[in-house]
Structure formats: C-alpha cells, structure tokens
Amino acid sequence: RLGVVAARAVAPDDGARRPPAGSLVDGVTVVAADGRGLRLEVVRPEGRGDVTAADWVRGVRPAAGERVG
C-alpha cells in the first residue's frame, strides 16, 4: 500500500493515449478516472515514514503503466 501525503493535479496530455485509472505514467504521475493526472510529491509506503515520490520511485522502480493502490 502507498499513502499519498502531498500531490498536485496536472492537466492531461490530450495527444497521448490514456492508460487505465490508477496507472503510473512517468513514475510519479497517477492517471485519474477522468483522464487528469495526480503528480505525487510525498508518499508514505506502508510501514515506513514519509518520502519524496522521486525517492520512492528510485527505490521501487515501478514500470510505466503499472497500477498503484
């Protein structure tokens, strides 16, 4: 599980194919059900303290399109 501590909304890339909701686009942006994105800033992995999303991605190395949640 992954908790979201801080995030910001980002506009969709209208020229891009949209992956399913909950999918990671670039490692730190999650696709929302309406096609917009949520850029993760700070996350809390289960059983751990807060870390920046960039540090979490470097440690976990999720694949593009991988679902989170």
Side-chain angles (χ1 to χ4, degrees):
R1 292 187 180 192
L2 183 68
V4 177
V5 176
R8 63 184 165 89
V10 293
D13 180 358
D14 291 326
R17 180 185 148 280
R18 291 194 181 113
S23 299
L24 288 170
V25 177
D26 59 8
V28 293
T29 303
V30 179
V31 177
D34 64 1
R36 290 185 280 183
L38 186 65
R39 181 143 181 100
L40 304 176
E41 303 284 336
V42 179
V43 297
R44 184 178 299 139
E46 186 172 27
R48 300 189 58 205
D50 296 355
V51 296
T52 66
D55 286 342
W56 174 74
V57 166
R58 280 191 284 279
V60 176
R61 299 181 186 211
E66 186 173 332
R67 293 191 55 135
V68 294

PDB file of all heavy atoms in Angstrom, residues 5 10 13 15 22 26 31 36 38 44 50 52 58 60-61 66:
ATOM      1  N   VAL A   5       0.729  11.701   0.743  1.00  0.00           N
ATOM      2  CA  VAL A   5       0.834  12.758   1.736  1.00  0.00           C
ATOM      3  C   VAL A   5       0.651  14.115   1.063  1.00  0.00           C
ATOM      4  O   VAL A   5      -0.043  14.975   1.568  1.00  0.00           O
ATOM      5  CB  VAL A   5       2.195  12.686   2.468  1.00  0.00           C
ATOM      6  CG1 VAL A   5       2.355  13.835   3.446  1.00  0.00           C
ATOM      7  CG2 VAL A   5       2.335  11.341   3.165  1.00  0.00           C
ATOM      8  N   VAL A  10      -2.530  17.701 -12.311  1.00  0.00           N
ATOM      9  CA  VAL A  10      -1.894  18.117 -13.556  1.00  0.00           C
ATOM     10  C   VAL A  10      -2.872  17.891 -14.700  1.00  0.00           C
ATOM     11  O   VAL A  10      -3.699  16.978 -14.654  1.00  0.00           O
ATOM     12  CB  VAL A  10      -0.571  17.370 -13.818  1.00  0.00           C
ATOM     13  CG1 VAL A  10       0.481  17.749 -12.797  1.00  0.00           C
ATOM     14  CG2 VAL A  10      -0.757  15.874 -13.812  1.00  0.00           C
ATOM     15  N   ASP A  13      -2.479  15.108 -20.972  1.00  0.00           N
ATOM     16  CA  ASP A  13      -1.812  15.317 -22.260  1.00  0.00           C
ATOM     17  C   ASP A  13      -2.803  14.833 -23.315  1.00  0.00           C
ATOM     18  O   ASP A  13      -2.947  13.640 -23.547  1.00  0.00           O
ATOM     19  CB  ASP A  13      -0.514  14.515 -22.318  1.00  0.00           C
ATOM     20  CG  ASP A  13       0.227  14.691 -23.627  1.00  0.00           C
ATOM     21  OD1 ASP A  13      -0.278  15.408 -24.519  1.00  0.00           O
ATOM     22  OD2 ASP A  13       1.309  14.113 -23.766  1.00  0.00           O
ATOM     23  N   GLY A  15      -2.860  14.717 -26.398  1.00  0.00           N
ATOM     24  CA  GLY A  15      -2.364  13.989 -27.550  1.00  0.00           C
ATOM     25  C   GLY A  15      -1.918  12.573 -27.232  1.00  0.00           C
ATOM     26  O   GLY A  15      -1.592  11.798 -28.114  1.00  0.00           O
ATOM     27  N   GLY A  22      -5.422   4.843 -12.207  1.00  0.00           N
ATOM     28  CA  GLY A  22      -4.552   4.225 -11.209  1.00  0.00           C
ATOM     29  C   GLY A  22      -3.187   3.852 -11.742  1.00  0.00           C
ATOM     30  O   GLY A  22      -2.322   3.431 -10.987  1.00  0.00           O
ATOM     31  N   ASP A  26       4.676   8.397 -15.543  1.00  0.00           N
ATOM     32  CA  ASP A  26       6.119   8.669 -15.600  1.00  0.00           C
ATOM     33  C   ASP A  26       6.808   8.330 -14.289  1.00  0.00           C
ATOM     34  O   ASP A  26       7.841   8.861 -13.972  1.00  0.00           O
ATOM     35  CB  ASP A  26       6.352  10.128 -15.971  1.00  0.00           C
ATOM     36  CG  ASP A  26       5.711  11.079 -14.979  1.00  0.00           C
ATOM     37  OD1 ASP A  26       5.221  10.610 -13.932  1.00  0.00           O
ATOM     38  OD2 ASP A  26       5.679  12.287 -15.245  1.00  0.00           O
ATOM     39  N   VAL A  31      -2.772   8.378 -13.202  1.00  0.00           N
ATOM     40  CA  VAL A  31      -3.913   8.759 -14.028  1.00  0.00           C
ATOM     41  C   VAL A  31      -5.195   8.633 -13.210  1.00  0.00           C
ATOM     42  O   VAL A  31      -5.431   7.609 -12.574  1.00  0.00           O
ATOM     43  CB  VAL A  31      -4.006   7.868 -15.285  1.00  0.00           C
ATOM     44  CG1 VAL A  31      -5.239   8.213 -16.105  1.00  0.00           C
ATOM     45  CG2 VAL A  31      -2.752   8.000 -16.115  1.00  0.00           C
ATOM     46  N   ARG A  36      -7.408  13.085 -16.031  1.00  0.00           N
ATOM     47  CA  ARG A  36      -6.412  14.016 -15.496  1.00  0.00           C
ATOM     48  C   ARG A  36      -5.370  13.240 -14.714  1.00  0.00           C
ATOM     49  O   ARG A  36      -5.506  12.051 -14.479  1.00  0.00           O
ATOM     50  CB  ARG A  36      -7.077  15.057 -14.599  1.00  0.00           C
ATOM     51  CG  ARG A  36      -7.931  16.020 -15.400  1.00  0.00           C
ATOM     52  CD  ARG A  36      -8.477  17.091 -14.544  1.00  0.00           C
ATOM     53  NE  ARG A  36      -9.643  16.567 -13.831  1.00  0.00           N
ATOM     54  CZ  ARG A  36     -10.403  17.267 -13.025  1.00  0.00           C
ATOM     55  NH1 ARG A  36     -10.122  18.523 -12.791  1.00  0.00           N
ATOM     56  NH2 ARG A  36     -11.443  16.727 -12.439  1.00  0.00           N
ATOM     57  N   LEU A  38      -2.521  13.054 -11.302  1.00  0.00           N
ATOM     58  CA  LEU A  38      -2.190  13.468  -9.963  1.00  0.00           C
ATOM     59  C   LEU A  38      -0.697  13.232  -9.800  1.00  0.00           C
ATOM     60  O   LEU A  38      -0.235  12.087  -9.818  1.00  0.00           O
ATOM     61  CB  LEU A  38      -2.985  12.653  -8.940  1.00  0.00           C
ATOM     62  CG  LEU A  38      -2.855  13.078  -7.494  1.00  0.00           C
ATOM     63  CD1 LEU A  38      -3.437  14.485  -7.304  1.00  0.00           C
ATOM     64  CD2 LEU A  38      -3.571  12.099  -6.594  1.00  0.00           C
ATOM     65  N   ARG A  44       3.798   7.837   1.508  1.00  0.00           N
ATOM     66  CA  ARG A  44       4.112   7.075   2.709  1.00  0.00           C
ATOM     67  C   ARG A  44       3.920   5.590   2.410  1.00  0.00           C
ATOM     68  O   ARG A  44       2.803   5.072   2.461  1.00  0.00           O
ATOM     69  CB  ARG A  44       3.209   7.503   3.863  1.00  0.00           C
ATOM     70  CG  ARG A  44       3.560   6.799   5.183  1.00  0.00           C
ATOM     71  CD  ARG A  44       2.688   7.272   6.333  1.00  0.00           C
ATOM     72  NE  ARG A  44       2.882   8.700   6.532  1.00  0.00           N
ATOM     73  CZ  ARG A  44       1.896   9.551   6.788  1.00  0.00           C
ATOM     74  NH1 ARG A  44       0.656   9.137   6.890  1.00  0.00           N
ATOM     75  NH2 ARG A  44       2.146  10.835   6.955  1.00  0.00           N
ATOM     76  N   ASP A  50       7.351   9.132   5.741  1.00  0.00           N
ATOM     77  CA  ASP A  50       7.162   9.898   4.508  1.00  0.00           C
ATOM     78  C   ASP A  50       8.461   9.986   3.716  1.00  0.00           C
ATOM     79  O   ASP A  50       9.540  10.157   4.299  1.00  0.00           O
ATOM     80  CB  ASP A  50       6.706  11.316   4.837  1.00  0.00           C
ATOM     81  CG  ASP A  50       5.352  11.363   5.516  1.00  0.00           C
ATOM     82  OD1 ASP A  50       4.715  10.305   5.652  1.00  0.00           O
ATOM     83  OD2 ASP A  50       4.951  12.466   5.912  1.00  0.00           O
ATOM     84  N   THR A  52       9.905  11.502  -0.406  1.00  0.00           N
ATOM     85  CA  THR A  52       9.504  12.172  -1.641  1.00  0.00           C
ATOM     86  C   THR A  52       9.143  11.103  -2.661  1.00  0.00           C
ATOM     87  O   THR A  52       9.683   9.992  -2.632  1.00  0.00           O
ATOM     88  CB  THR A  52      10.623  13.066  -2.212  1.00  0.00           C
ATOM     89  OG1 THR A  52      11.708  12.238  -2.623  1.00  0.00           O
ATOM     90  CG2 THR A  52      11.083  14.108  -1.202  1.00  0.00           C
ATOM     91  N   ARG A  58      12.825   5.859  -7.190  1.00  0.00           N
ATOM     92  CA  ARG A  58      14.200   5.348  -7.334  1.00  0.00           C
ATOM     93  C   ARG A  58      14.384   4.022  -6.602  1.00  0.00           C
ATOM     94  O   ARG A  58      15.121   3.157  -7.039  1.00  0.00           O
ATOM     95  CB  ARG A  58      15.206   6.377  -6.840  1.00  0.00           C
ATOM     96  CG  ARG A  58      15.496   7.460  -7.844  1.00  0.00           C
ATOM     97  CD  ARG A  58      16.696   8.311  -7.433  1.00  0.00           C
ATOM     98  NE  ARG A  58      16.380   9.244  -6.365  1.00  0.00           N
ATOM     99  CZ  ARG A  58      15.781  10.414  -6.532  1.00  0.00           C
ATOM    100  NH1 ARG A  58      15.425  10.796  -7.743  1.00  0.00           N
ATOM    101  NH2 ARG A  58      15.549  11.202  -5.509  1.00  0.00           N
ATOM    102  N   VAL A  60      11.732   1.786  -5.638  1.00  0.00           N
ATOM    103  CA  VAL A  60      10.780   0.754  -6.065  1.00  0.00           C
ATOM    104  C   VAL A  60      10.917   0.435  -7.558  1.00  0.00           C
ATOM    105  O   VAL A  60      10.709  -0.698  -7.963  1.00  0.00           O
ATOM    106  CB  VAL A  60       9.332   1.202  -5.739  1.00  0.00           C
ATOM    107  CG1 VAL A  60       8.319   0.205  -6.267  1.00  0.00           C
ATOM    108  CG2 VAL A  60       9.168   1.376  -4.258  1.00  0.00           C
ATOM    109  N   ARG A  61      11.234   1.443  -8.345  1.00  0.00           N
ATOM    110  CA  ARG A  61      11.366   1.323  -9.806  1.00  0.00           C
ATOM    111  C   ARG A  61      10.133   0.750 -10.482  1.00  0.00           C
ATOM    112  O   ARG A  61      10.200  -0.281 -11.173  1.00  0.00           O
ATOM    113  CB  ARG A  61      12.595   0.489 -10.157  1.00  0.00           C
ATOM    114  CG  ARG A  61      13.863   1.118  -9.650  1.00  0.00           C
ATOM    115  CD  ARG A  61      15.062   0.309 -10.023  1.00  0.00           C
ATOM    116  NE  ARG A  61      16.212   0.903  -9.365  1.00  0.00           N
ATOM    117  CZ  ARG A  61      17.416   0.880  -9.864  1.00  0.00           C
ATOM    118  NH1 ARG A  61      17.638   0.318 -11.013  1.00  0.00           N
ATOM    119  NH2 ARG A  61      18.400   1.435  -9.205  1.00  0.00           N
ATOM    120  N   GLU A  66       2.249   0.732 -14.693  1.00  0.00           N
ATOM    121  CA  GLU A  66       1.964  -0.105 -13.522  1.00  0.00           C
ATOM    122  C   GLU A  66       0.892   0.575 -12.679  1.00  0.00           C
ATOM    123  O   GLU A  66       0.878   1.780 -12.518  1.00  0.00           O
ATOM    124  CB  GLU A  66       3.234  -0.297 -12.707  1.00  0.00           C
ATOM    125  CG  GLU A  66       3.083  -1.264 -11.566  1.00  0.00           C
ATOM    126  CD  GLU A  66       4.416  -1.562 -10.891  1.00  0.00           C
ATOM    127  OE1 GLU A  66       5.461  -1.485 -11.549  1.00  0.00           O
ATOM    128  OE2 GLU A  66       4.379  -1.878  -9.697  1.00  0.00           O
TER     129      GLU A  66
END
